[in-house]
Amino acid sequence: MAAYQKGDLAAFAELVARHEKRLWNFLRRFVRDEATAEDLLQEVFLRVVKSAVQWQPSAKVSTWLFTIARNLCTDQARRAEFRRAESLDQVKAGEGDSGLRRIDRVAAASGDAETEVMGREIASLVDRAVGELPVEQREVFLMREVMDMSFAEIAAQVGASEPTVKSRMRYALQRLRSKLGELHETAGAAAAEGTP
Amino acid sequence: MKCSEVSSLLVDFLYDEMPAAERREFLAHVEGCASCSAEVKATSSTLGHARAALRGPLAQDPPARVRARVLEAAQAALAAKASDSAKPRTARAPEPEGFFARLWRTPWLVPALGAAGVATVVLLVRVIKNPQVIPDQKPAVTETLTQPPAEPPGLHQAQPRPETESKPLAGLAPKRTQPKMPAAEFDHNSDAESKHAASAGKPHLATRARDNPVTAGRKLARSADELSGAGGEAPMLAPLGQASVGKGGGAASMPSRKDEESLGAVAKAGPGTVAAESPSTNRWAEPPPPRAVAAPVASAAAPAAAQPAPAKKAKAFANLDEMQKSAADQGLSRSAEREKAKAPMRLPPAEHAAQAEGPADKKGANKETLSFEERVRKAEKLFAEKKWAEAAAAFRALIAQAPSNPAAKTWRERVAAADQAQEQARAAKARKAASSDDALDGL
């Protein structure tokens, strides 16, 4: 960032490359809409460009980036409160066609191709489960698992105490477990059957 | 450790943020508690699956177009920054510091200056059209009506107040104590004044003409105020050929400037007191009507009584008269008229008599004064129009009427000039006739 302040565009490109993936995944999971996440990611870096002069070397770039991203997400969540994105619900409607739950289809898969399919299905299930978390729990979960932030950093970002952040994380995990429980049980049973 | 504690410490255990001793205690409880063990295993498995999904299949790269747009914007920002940093060194020239440059930088000054200019122009136009909007402005005295008599020595010592001071009319404004003048300077004889006024039918005047003919009218009125302030009673308006005197006493209210201007003219004659009407006294207050107060006294009105006096004071008569007329035209003497309506209640019997007889005489004197002025103006007009014979006759009449008038010298000169011009005209006419005869003879 200091190099970019001096006019080094390559330094800024490296900064983007270093942080864009995590920001993208955080934004995508948080807003649950790819197009919106794309706009927000671009806005994050544009704000960095605009505010590059004001950046102080003492500040951590990743923290600064995430602060911008979180503020954008918060604004977006307020706007989308009354028009919830239902992209995942559309996928849910498509499930009814086969008459089987996704977890059932994942559990029915076998072989490498089937394992790959199962991995994508699990990921989709996790994606859906994370998206259905309450905002405060989703925020803490994504900060920790996607942005690799410590609970102390998360607490500083969200403006809550560290025990509160951990409590939110615990509730988030309990919700995910309830969503992924059948998958967990099914996967465990499949593993037991495969074991000689 | 209890099961509830295990549930609350589950996150710390999963993320390995638990002290070693607490961790051992935690594991000891979990190993001995089936429910806690199942919960820990299930939550750990869920977290493992979610983490694997988020960092595996769900970890996607952002669209490349986002990076392209961002880098493009960053490059544009760098270019703009570079241009901005280059501009100050090359484009910043010393700004002009002239009046218009400063005006341009402070645009609010433009309407302000414009409004001030318009106001100035309007004021100038008003002043040009009506010079009397300026309070101190007096009409120029160009004509002399008569020669005022010599003043008593005491009156010369009365000093006028400053020009800017304004005096309210008696009864219409708070009374003020005026600086007292030495009473000995005046011949205080109110009874005699009353008699004079009653016999002459003139309002009381009390002031003297100053040496400056231009400001004589105002100073006369002020002198009257001073006299009334010094004596507490305004001296009566001196009738023709009689001196007016003031009477010592207390303070008196002073007329306003407008009212001063509406006061009557100065009487001239008698022992030499130039008197001006003063409504400021309580006892003698007789507010002068705008026109009737003029007690002028031109030698035509009382030629026999008129005595030689300084010409400057005589000019003041005309000055006061003109001011009186202008004040009457502008309605400035309304307060004086109101005061006049109250005056009979305060007037002594002699004053009542004078007031009862006054208006007709005043009008007559004023008319005579005006006729004299008109004659002077007419003579000047005839002279200007080169009607030599008529002009000479008019000036001769004026000279005969007021031979000691300071303007008489001028009149005589104009008579001589008119006569000379007539002679020249006659000679030219004769030459023309002669040349015509010669031409006819030649034919």
Side-chain angles (χ1 to χ4, degrees):
Chain A
M1 193 66 201
Y4 174 67
Q5 280 184 320
K6 296 176 182 177
D8 188 357
L9 185 61
F12 184 76
E14 183 180 351
L15 184 145
V16 172
R18 186 184 301 172
H19 296 282
E20 67 176 350
K21 188 172 183 178
R22 284 194 299 173
L23 282 171
W24 165 252
N25 285 288
F26 171 81
L27 293 169
R28 187 167 175 268
R29 304 290 165 241
F30 195 93
V31 301
R32 296 188 298 170
D33 183 73
E34 196 163 327
T36 304
E38 183 177 333
D39 293 340
L40 293 181
L41 177 65
Q42 179 174 311
E43 183 63 22
V44 168
F45 286 111
L46 290 179
R47 291 195 180 187
V48 170
V49 169
K50 291 178 182 176
S51 306
V53 181
Q54 304 170 359
W55 179 77
Q56 300 294 328
S58 59
K60 193 176 179 180
V61 175
S62 60
T63 304
W64 183 31
L65 289 173
F66 181 76
T67 302
I68 298 173
R70 182 179 176 274
N71 291 335
L72 291 174
C73 288
T74 304
D75 296 340
Q76 174 63 25
R78 291 197 190 103
R79 288 195 296 267
E81 186 175 359
F82 299 102
R83 49 179 181 85
R84 295 174 60 87
E86 295 295 341
S87 59
L88 292 178
D89 291 341
Q90 293 171 359
V91 176
K92 182 180 178 180
E95 294 172 4
D97 297 339
S98 63
L100 296 175
R101 294 185 304 173
R102 184 178 303 170
I103 195 66
D104 295 336
R105 285 185 271 115
V106 169
S110 60
D112 294 339
E114 291 179 352
T115 302
E116 185 179 352
V117 171
M118 187 183 70
R120 287 198 298 268
E121 292 291 336
I122 291 173
S124 176
L125 193 60
V126 169
D127 191 13
R128 177 184 173 186
V130 170
E132 289 178 351
L133 288 174
V135 173
E136 290 181 345
Q137 298 175 19
R138 183 165 73 241
E139 181 182 49
V140 170
F141 179 80
L142 291 175
M143 286 182 185
R144 178 71 196 198
E145 293 299 324
V146 176
M147 301 296 293
D148 292 330
M149 297 171 68
S150 67
F151 287 113
E153 291 174 338
I154 296 170
Q157 281 289 330
V158 301
S161 65
E162 192 170 338
T164 301
V165 170
K166 288 179 179 177
S167 176
R168 291 176 184 173
M169 187 68 182
R170 181 163 59 89
Y171 287 124
L173 290 175
Q174 286 175 354
R175 280 182 176 266
L176 287 176
R177 191 187 71 184
S178 65
K179 294 287 181 184
L180 301 175
E182 293 183 14
L183 173 62
H184 176 70
E185 294 171 358
T186 305
E193 289 177 358
T195 303
Chain B
M1 182 174 286
K2 297 178 182 178
C3 294
S4 58
E5 294 180 66
V6 170
S7 177
S8 61
L9 294 173
L10 181 58
V11 172
D12 292 323
F13 173 76
L14 293 175
Y15 287 94
D16 198 13
E17 294 188 356
M18 185 182 286
E22 193 175 14
R23 185 180 182 85
R24 283 194 296 272
E25 187 178 358
F26 180 89
L27 287 175
H29 176 81
V30 169
E31 288 174 357
C33 179
S35 61
C36 288
S37 176
E39 184 181 0
V40 169
K41 287 180 181 176
T43 305
S44 178
S45 175
T46 301
L47 180 59
H49 281 292
R51 185 175 293 171
L54 291 172
R55 297 181 182 181
L58 296 180
Q60 300 173 356
D61 290 330
R65 56 180 175 272
V66 174
R67 181 188 294 188
R69 292 186 204 133
V70 168
L71 292 179
E72 184 179 357
Q75 188 172 7
L78 285 177
K81 182 182 176 182
S83 62
D84 289 342
S85 60
K87 275 182 181 177
R89 291 192 298 270
T90 58
R92 279 187 185 175
E95 297 180 357
E97 290 298 330
F99 170 76
F100 291 105
R102 289 195 297 273
L103 190 65
W104 182 254
R105 289 198 301 271
T106 55
W108 59 270
L109 270 178
V110 176
L113 291 176
V118 170
T120 304
V121 170
V122 169
L123 183 61
L124 286 175
V125 168
R126 288 193 61 187
V127 168
I128 292 170
K129 286 185 175 179
N130 186 12
Q132 293 185 356
V133 297
I134 302 176
D136 286 338
Q137 187 167 353
K138 307 291 188 306
V141 176
T142 57
E143 303 299 333
T144 302
L145 304 181
T146 183
Q147 292 179 345
E151 297 178 3
L155 288 179
H156 282 288
Q157 299 178 13
Q159 298 299 322
R161 284 190 294 275
E163 289 286 334
T164 56
E165 186 173 355
S166 125
K167 296 170 275 301
L169 188 64
L172 299 180
K175 294 182 177 180
R176 294 186 302 177
T177 301
Q178 298 299 324
K180 293 186 177 180
M181 298 299 295
E185 294 180 356
F186 305 96
D187 182 11
H188 301 298
N189 190 343
S190 60
D191 293 337
E193 291 174 2
S194 300
K195 291 176 182 177
H196 291 317
S199 61
K202 302 292 181 183
H204 290 203
L205 295 176
T207 189
R208 62 183 178 85
R210 302 302 300 171
D211 292 338
N212 185 354
V214 177
T215 58
R218 179 169 302 282
K219 291 179 178 179
L220 287 170
R222 287 174 182 165
S223 298
D225 295 335
E226 289 171 356
L227 290 173
S228 62
E233 297 175 356
M236 292 183 296
L237 177 65
L240 291 177
Q242 293 184 358
S244 68
V245 290
K247 182 177 181 180
S253 299
M254 310 306 287
S256 66
R257 173 159 299 195
K258 291 178 180 179
D259 294 325
E260 285 178 12
E261 293 177 357
S262 67
L263 292 177
V266 180
K268 201 70 235 113
T273 297
V274 178
E277 182 186 32
S278 172
S280 59
T281 173
N282 291 333
R283 180 180 174 188
W284 307 110
E286 182 185 9
R291 302 285 295 184
V293 264
V297 182
S299 48
Q307 293 186 3
K312 296 175 183 177
K313 294 174 183 175
K315 288 182 180 178
F317 300 165
N319 185 20
L320 277 177
D321 190 54
E322 291 178 2
M323 285 193 296
Q324 180 186 6
K325 286 190 291 183
S326 63
D329 294 339
Q330 297 181 8
L332 297 179
S333 59
R334 285 175 294 183
S335 58
E337 292 176 351
R338 287 194 298 269
E339 187 65 20
K340 181 182 178 182
K342 303 173 186 176
M345 303 298 293
R346 303 192 298 265
L347 288 175
E351 286 294 298
H352 283 294
Q355 187 180 21
E357 299 176 1
D361 293 343
K362 291 174 187 174
K363 290 179 181 177
N366 194 29
K367 186 176 180 181
E368 291 172 356
T369 303
L370 292 176
S371 62
F372 185 80
E373 290 181 349
E374 289 297 327
R375 287 199 297 275
V376 172
R377 294 194 186 99
K378 186 177 179 181
E380 294 288 351
K381 185 177 180 182
L382 292 171
F383 187 82
E385 292 174 352
K386 298 183 178 180
K387 296 178 179 178
W388 308 119
E390 297 174 359
F395 281 123
R396 283 194 180 94
L398 291 172
I399 293 169
Q401 184 175 346
S404 57
N405 193 299
K409 182 179 179 182
T410 305
W411 297 342
R412 292 188 186 95
E413 292 174 357
R414 291 185 178 178
V415 167
D419 291 342
Q420 185 177 0
Q422 289 184 78
E423 291 297 329
Q424 291 175 356
R426 288 193 203 98
K429 190 175 180 180
R431 285 196 299 272
K432 187 176 180 181
S435 61
S436 298
D437 293 342
D438 293 342
L440 289 174
D441 292 342
L443 293 175

